[in-house]
Amino acid sequence: MTEKDRHVVLEIKDIAVDYKTDHGTVHAVRGVTYKVHADEMLAIVGESGCGKSQSSYATMGLIQAPGEVVRGEILFHEDESSAPFNLLSVDKNSPEMRSIRGGKLSMIFQEPMTALSPVHKIGKQIDEALKIHTDLDKAGRFKRACEMLTLVGIPDAEKRYHQYSFEFSGGMRQRIMIAIALCCNPKLLIADEPTTGLDVTIQAQILDLIQDLKKKFNMGVIFITHDLAVVAQNADRVAVMYLGRIVEEADKVTLFDEPQHPYTQALLRSVIGSPLASDGKLKTIEGSVPGPYDVVEGCAFHPRCEHCMHGLCDKKMPDFEQVNDKTKAACHLFTEEGKHHKESQA
Amino acid sequence: MKPLLNVENLSVWFPKKVSFFGKPLTWIKAVNGVTFQLKAGETLGLVGESGSGKSTTGYAIMRALNPREGKIEFCPDGDTVYDLASMDQKELRPIRKHFQLIFQDPFSSLNPRMTVRDLIAEPLKVSGQGTHKEHTERVKELMAEVGLNPAFLNRYPHAFSGGQRQRIVIARALTLNPKLIICDEAVSALDVSVQAQILNLLMELKEKHNLAYIFIGHDLEVVRHIADRVAVMYAGRLVEDGSAEDVLTHSLHPYTQSLLATAPRPDPHFVYENKPLSGEVPNPAALPSGCVFHPRCPVAKDCCSEKVPQHTQLDGKSVRCLMHEEDSKHNWDESFSLAETIQDD
Amino acid sequence: MSEETVNTTTDTNDDQSTAYDESQWKMMVRRFKKHKLAYWMGFVLLFMYIVCLNSNFIAPYKPAKIHSDYVNLPPQIIQFGFVDGYTLPRLYVHPFQAERNTLTLQKEYSVNEQKRVAIQFFTEGRKWYFLGVIPCHTHLFGVEKGETCFLLGTDSLGQDLLSRILYGGKVSLLIGLCGVTLSFFLGITLGGLSGFYGGLFDIVVQRISELLQSIPSIPIWLALSAMIPKNWSSLEVYFAMSLILACIGWTGVCRDVRGKLLSLREEDYARAAMLCGASEIRIVFVHLVPNFISHIITLVTLAVPGMILAETMLSFLNLGIRPPMVSWGVLLQEANSADVVANQPWLLLPGLAVIITVLAYNFIGEGLRDAADPYAN
């Protein structure tokens, strides 16, 4: 199936998020565009502070003051025939948004310890989500809750329904979070670092589960992570973010085998165990990520880039566009202007 | 030449339930009978899942915890041997300069109310060496060594990023020229590219100062990169140790094998042949009988729940698995190939 | 999170590098200033303390001075205009004139609209001692000899309410501080030792503080203040009062200090200090105390209004400060009947002073609490 045929669940168009603080405005996201298809896992990768979670938070209506979505559109396609719905056209606390959030759109977080209420039975917490988003009766909800618990690999569901979150281990809690997130058959699951802090073997179990459920529910998954190993193992498509922008997007194998953007290349070289990394002394990226209040003209990566073209990269921000038939990237090495610049320099 | 560190039969237990008169009734057995040696200038990677007791072992060697039994023989100058396990905190104070700890979280391990200068100079002040001016000189020297701008002497930790904070922690650990540094998940809280920078720094410093590291971590790729020797822990026991290359490529213990087989790699072409291990690390207050790994072991036999495996020396590695013990080997078929069994599972 | 190396760190721009060098106190002040209400309340409180502590200079009369010809006078309104005998316009008041009612034979007061009494500044008056030693006669304001002015009215004995509020404020505002200082001292010492040594000492201290907290505070105050001998001088009563308030007040501070100490000991940096070979005492005083001192300051600020209210209440019930010494509680005794509230509402003004002070302390405390943890975000 080509990309065109597949049902697009979520379309993010040129989203920008600003945070206004005492020291000035932080442009957390500076124009991000991507699509998620049904039965596809899009991984958004980046280092901390690059704004990788922000576009998803905007989708879920979770951007809190002093943060603000300043431009862009978030189009949600419930199914192939229905008209797209711009999530930003309604207030984030409106009834429409509330019925979508947690129902059609679900999210799981990094901290399974704090995301569950310690004073409510875990079954009741699933029940709560079902009560809001479905019209099942009490018995129906209980049945569904138990089904979900079984589905996410919690044995003895009817008994565990009545237990509290502290009676479960970290991995089990993350499974419960997944059960709550998926109980209303969402079209899109946003997983924000769901396995960070879990052990390797538990992480592998959870990732396996998300993969299975993705197929089963035919849902799109946005997987936000900093861990390239997890991405290489699980994602279908990968978007790499740097300082509030997507710098490169491609399918997984292309991205790892033929990274185009200098940042992606440098990042992959610095990851221990990746085929591009060297033994012994690791190649690291020179310099540092600019601070949140620093203003970088042109391409945000140019001060650290080994291919930086002076007079262009430090003046104009490159567009995010198709650079070959597989990859989209934002780099002047591939833009017309960049080519002209190079020629004129030569 | 005596080894720098000789840990023998180290156990750390915490009381779980205490009787009315303060006598412990049940114990959390965090570390049980751990034995290993470390030469000067060598890096030992200590790997395992959380709850495996790897950090507890590190803290016990640092004597931030009191071991229940065992010996921790530390020989900083190749001559005098101190048994850290039997010394009290007061006796330890003068020799603490020889061994230092780098914490996992660079945000909590630096006192937010002290400047970088005060943080790095603290060990000097505590040991009463030098004047204020000499301290400042030493701090500047150390900051330059770990890649920080010495002009930032008077800044507070909140002005630094995670990677820079970890550099401050490293500088503080180096202040008194230690022989041994225990790195407790020293890079796992950092970003990928920063991880690489810190690992490079640690390796450079090791060469320069002939440091020995105990590198505690859960990321096998990172440990493979930095360690000379690797010890794998599971539920408070050492299950396998040997040279890094040996343990991480030709492992003998089924636990190490499954860890290696399922750990994600940053390589999209890597084929994961096995399903991840089912179940979780056992509760250290109620460890399974026999081999602690047997409830999750893909190749466990009946004998595994009865007999506690002992260290067996094999191919230059030390492994604790009945499958490799002379007496119980016969339970596994001779033509048995472990890899196949795991694949079938 | 960014990662900087030596080569690139120098290019940080200047306005930020000053922010990076900021110490905790500077950060606290900056954040406190952001809390506008608390910031301005700070000035209000400062003003009240300056005014009340200089009551000898500012108040036109002694608090106990009785003007038997002028009882229950309402406040006077200060006006601005020409006064006979002065070329320039100035502040003046209309004096009261007394007339015997021929029917009831009671004195009745009316404002003499014709007469203007000029208010003079830095006039000579009764003797007082600057800093307690240097004799002075100058007062902030007054009127010509033979005339009187009662800006806030008088009470049933003809005592000037303004003077009484100022003198009373001195006692009320200071007793809060004294009480808090004492309870602060007790609390930190006991809480610190309790958290530091633990064991039996800890158990005993904690049980005592629990016991004190479980006894209803009003009866215990009543009991303790009833024990103050009637023949004690005002000053002795004053100190006894602050001691009584402190005896009850230390428990909160003690528990807080102990709890903070115990939780901070578990922090990685405390452990790091231990692993550097630092002694226990050094860990506590060099590493831990600076981390919660700002928290304690907040706690203390929030405890002062409680002390002031307690003093007011006890004095109101005639169990605290006793006349001739005045405090706001003593002044409020006057306003203890419906008749007073209806006919002489200005006698409630000391209550207003209490309210302003307590609110100011609470707002400042809140501002400090927000500012105290500059690393929260």
Side-chain angles (χ1 to χ4, degrees), chain C residues 173-195:
Chain C
L173 290 175
L174 284 184
I175 210 165
L177 282 190
C178 281
V180 157
T181 314
L182 269 174
S183 64
F184 188 2
F185 182 73
L186 268 174
I188 286 206
T189 317
L190 289 173
L193 292 175
S194 192

Side-chain angles (χ1 to χ4, degrees), chain B residues 101-112 119 156-170 172 184-191 194 198, chain C residues 1-3 267-269 272:
Chain B
L101 181 71
I102 294 173
F103 292 86
Q104 169 174 13
D105 183 0
F107 287 85
S108 69
S109 57
L110 294 174
N111 190 339
L119 283 165
Y156 287 82
H158 66 89
F160 294 91
S161 67
Q164 289 172 315
R165 282 163 172 247
Q166 201 61 299
R167 287 177 196 264
I168 300 172
V169 176
I170 293 171
R172 176 174 66 186
D184 181 20
E185 304 264 13
V187 297
S188 39
L190 305 174
D191 272 321
V194 183
I198 297 294
Chain C
M1 213 35 69
S2 66
E3 177 60 21
E267 289 281 328
D268 274 354
Y269 61 78

Side-chain angles (χ1 to χ4, degrees), chain A residues 22 48-49 287-289 293-294, chain C residues 1-4 8 13 16 34:
Chain A
D22 297 349
S48 46
S288 64
V289 178
Y293 303 105
D294 297 341
Chain C
M1 213 35 69
S2 66
E3 177 60 21
E4 293 179 28
T8 52
N13 48 34
Q16 269 186 42
K34 263 181 70 193

Side-chain angles (χ1 to χ4, degrees), chain B residues 45-182:
Chain B
L46 207 54
V47 289
E49 295 174 86
S50 60
S52 63
K54 56 188 193 300
S55 295
T56 312
T57 308
Y59 282 141
I61 294 169
M62 286 304 299
R63 280 304 305 278
L65 294 171
N66 293 331
R68 181 181 160 84
E69 57 180 20
K71 267 198 274 187
I72 306 167
E73 287 176 337
F74 181 58
C75 173
D77 52 4
D79 192 26
T80 347
V81 177
Y82 303 95
D83 183 9
L84 304 182
S86 62
M87 294 165 86
D88 68 23
Q89 292 298 343
K90 237 193 191 132
E91 293 170 326
L92 281 166
R93 247 173 239 161
I95 53 167
R96 282 207 178 275
K97 63 177 183 212
H98 297 301
F99 55 108
Q100 286 293 323
L101 181 71
I102 294 173
F103 292 86
Q104 169 174 13
D105 183 0
F107 287 85
S108 69
S109 57
L110 294 174
N111 190 339
R113 308 278 152 122
M114 288 169 91
T115 59
V116 176
R117 188 207 162 273
D118 291 340
L119 283 165
I120 300 178
E122 180 68 9
L124 286 170
K125 262 193 223 159
V126 165
S127 62
Q129 300 174 10
T131 60
H132 186 88
K133 213 173 157 195
E134 283 165 15
H135 289 179
T136 311
E137 282 313 306
R138 175 79 177 130
V139 169
K140 281 185 179 163
E141 189 188 308
L142 283 163
M143 283 177 83
E145 189 167 358
V146 297
L148 287 166
N149 186 341
F152 296 162
L153 203 63
N154 290 320
R155 289 193 176 182
Y156 287 82
H158 66 89
F160 294 91
S161 67
Q164 289 172 315
R165 282 163 172 247
Q166 201 61 299
R167 287 177 196 264
I168 300 172
V169 176
I170 293 171
R172 176 174 66 186
L174 288 176
T175 309
L176 295 174
N177 296 317
K179 294 280 182 289
L180 168 69
I181 295 183
I182 298 182

Side-chain angles (χ1 to χ4, degrees), chain C residues 19-257:
Chain C
Y20 290 149
D21 283 335
E22 233 177 13
S23 73
Q24 56 153 327
W25 297 111
K26 278 190 198 149
M27 277 176 102
M28 244 180 103
V29 170
R30 184 165 56 77
R31 285 172 53 124
F32 182 75
K33 279 187 184 162
K34 263 181 70 193
H35 205 294
K36 286 280 177 291
L37 193 58
Y39 186 58
W40 291 113
M41 279 297 172
F43 286 106
V44 170
L45 203 62
L46 195 67
F47 175 76
M48 294 196 68
Y49 269 94
I50 290 175
V51 166
C52 288
L53 293 184
N54 292 299
S55 52
N56 272 325
F57 171 63
I58 295 168
Y61 303 105
K62 274 192 171 166
K65 167 115 177 160
I66 292 170
H67 307 262
S68 48
D69 288 343
Y70 302 95
V71 292
N72 288 334
L73 288 186
Q76 286 174 317
I77 298 155
I78 301 176
Q79 291 172 18
F80 186 73
F82 290 97
V83 183
D84 293 343
Y86 298 93
T87 45
L88 289 170
R90 51 177 50 243
L91 296 171
Y92 67 88
V93 290
H94 291 297
F96 285 97
Q97 57 186 18
E99 249 173 59
R100 185 78 63 182
N101 187 317
T102 45
L103 285 178
T104 58
L105 297 179
Q106 271 192 330
K107 262 189 180 174
E108 285 182 354
Y109 297 96
S110 59
V111 178
N112 184 350
E113 298 278 356
Q114 269 76 49
K115 201 174 169 195
R116 293 178 173 186
V117 176
I119 294 174
Q120 299 167 326
F121 289 96
F122 303 107
T123 52
E124 294 293 305
R126 63 180 196 283
K127 193 175 175 187
W128 60 284
Y129 293 94
F130 180 64
L131 297 175
V133 279
I134 307 161
C136 286
H137 290 278
T138 311
H139 290 268
L140 181 65
F141 70 96
V143 287
E144 279 171 40
K145 281 245 158 62
E147 299 290 349
T148 53
C149 82
F150 307 106
L151 293 181
L152 294 182
T154 57
D155 63 11
S156 57
L157 287 173
Q159 305 178 97
D160 179 35
L161 194 59
L162 175 66
S163 304
R164 285 174 74 77
I165 288 179
L166 291 176
Y167 277 98
K170 194 168 166 184
V171 172
S172 289
L173 290 175
L174 284 184
I175 210 165
L177 282 190
C178 281
V180 157
T181 314
L182 269 174
S183 64
F184 188 2
F185 182 73
L186 268 174
I188 286 206
T189 317
L190 289 173
L193 292 175
S194 192
F196 184 72
Y197 287 112
L200 191 66
F201 183 78
D202 180 35
I203 292 172
V204 171
V205 170
Q206 290 313 306
R207 290 303 95 83
I208 291 175
S209 83
E210 273 159 23
L211 193 74
L212 283 176
Q213 278 179 334
S214 64
I215 299 172
S217 49
I218 295 176
I220 202 173
W221 275 328
L222 295 183
L224 286 171
S225 27
M227 280 160 54
I228 302 176
K230 291 282 172 200
N231 56 358
W232 278 20
S233 73
S234 313
L235 201 67
E236 284 167 337
V237 173
Y238 178 84
F239 279 112
M241 281 297 301
S242 43
L243 203 67
I244 289 168
L245 294 175
C247 276
I248 314 293
W250 64 269
T251 52
V253 184
C254 168
R255 295 186 78 104
D256 219 77
V257 169

